[in-house]
Amino acid sequence: MIRVLIADDEAMIRSAVAALLSLEDDIEVVAECADGAQAVVMAEKLKPDICLLDLEMPELDGVQVADRLSGTLAATRCVVVTRHAGPGVLRRALASGVAGFLPKSRSANEVAEVIRRVAADARYVDPEVAADALSEERSPLTERELDVLRAGRRGESTSQIARALGLAPGTVRNYISAILAKLNVATRQQAVLLAEERGWI
């Protein structure tokens, strides 16, 4: 039997996936978790074969859960499902040791098949996601502009970014104005999210 832990903050989706997977002869759902922190605790307690993780969850996202578990549960493999699979997210997932990556649009039968493949030590990346990652657009931002976004990705102030990069606050403000114009977004936070999704930072 393949022992599976499911983590998704949407209760209806979580319970539906659990019910459908439980119909499979070779899959046993051993836990259902509503957020990433709970998933880490339950996985370390139950040591499932597979953790099926929603990307977007409170506390810790699916990739962060996989990253934590890769250091403590070498035998447990993680599959991440998501509605929005940008190339940057895929790269982050693979770097964190995620063994499977697929969109939520896949059927329960397809999810079960991916779980079997990953349990057999194979890796699976959805072909559409992989194609998007290969055809991703180049960043319109300069390396220095990307440095500014990286330094401010957790909401740091202009002064904090300036200190971190050894720049004057006015220079940082100029970089931020240029970034917002190039990316056609209204706020620095939107610019950070876009850059992360596209895999630029």
Side-chain angles (χ1 to χ4, degrees), residues 26-182:
D26 56 344
I27 294 175
E28 177 191 4
V29 177
V30 296
E32 296 178 44
C33 305
D35 62 57
Q38 187 185 9
V40 170
V41 171
M42 293 303 291
E44 290 177 341
K45 180 181 176 184
L46 299 171
K47 299 178 173 52
D49 301 306
I50 302 290
C51 288
L52 184 66
L53 308 166
D54 184 23
L55 176 66
E56 295 163 15
M57 291 187 289
E59 306 291 338
L60 300 168
D61 70 25
V63 173
Q64 291 169 319
V65 172
D67 196 35
R68 296 266 182 106
L69 296 180
S70 68
T72 57
L73 295 177
T76 296
R77 310 195 82 208
C78 294
V79 175
V80 169
V81 294
T82 180
R83 280 198 182 89
H84 311 291
V89 174
L90 173 60
R91 275 208 300 278
R92 190 164 67 91
L94 296 178
S96 297
V98 168
F101 195 92
L102 66 159
K104 277 191 170 180
S105 56
R106 294 295 171 255
S107 71
N109 286 341
E110 289 172 297
V111 175
E113 196 50 47
V114 170
I115 286 171
R116 291 185 187 102
R117 289 174 65 169
V118 170
D121 280 345
R123 261 192 165 183
Y124 178 85
V125 175
D126 183 82
E128 288 176 28
V129 177
D132 287 347
L134 289 172
S135 63
E136 70 177 287
E137 62 188 288
R138 292 179 61 83
S139 169
L141 305 180
T142 66
E143 199 54 48
R144 203 54 164 155
E145 288 165 348
L146 292 172
D147 286 342
V148 168
L149 280 187
R150 287 187 196 101
R153 71 196 308 171
R154 290 181 179 82
E156 289 85 351
S157 68
T158 302
S159 299
Q160 288 172 314
I161 295 170
R163 276 198 300 277
L165 298 177
L167 298 171
T171 304
V172 171
R173 280 191 287 275
N174 290 341
Y175 277 128
I176 292 169
S177 294
I179 290 165
L180 300 184
K182 286 181 181 180

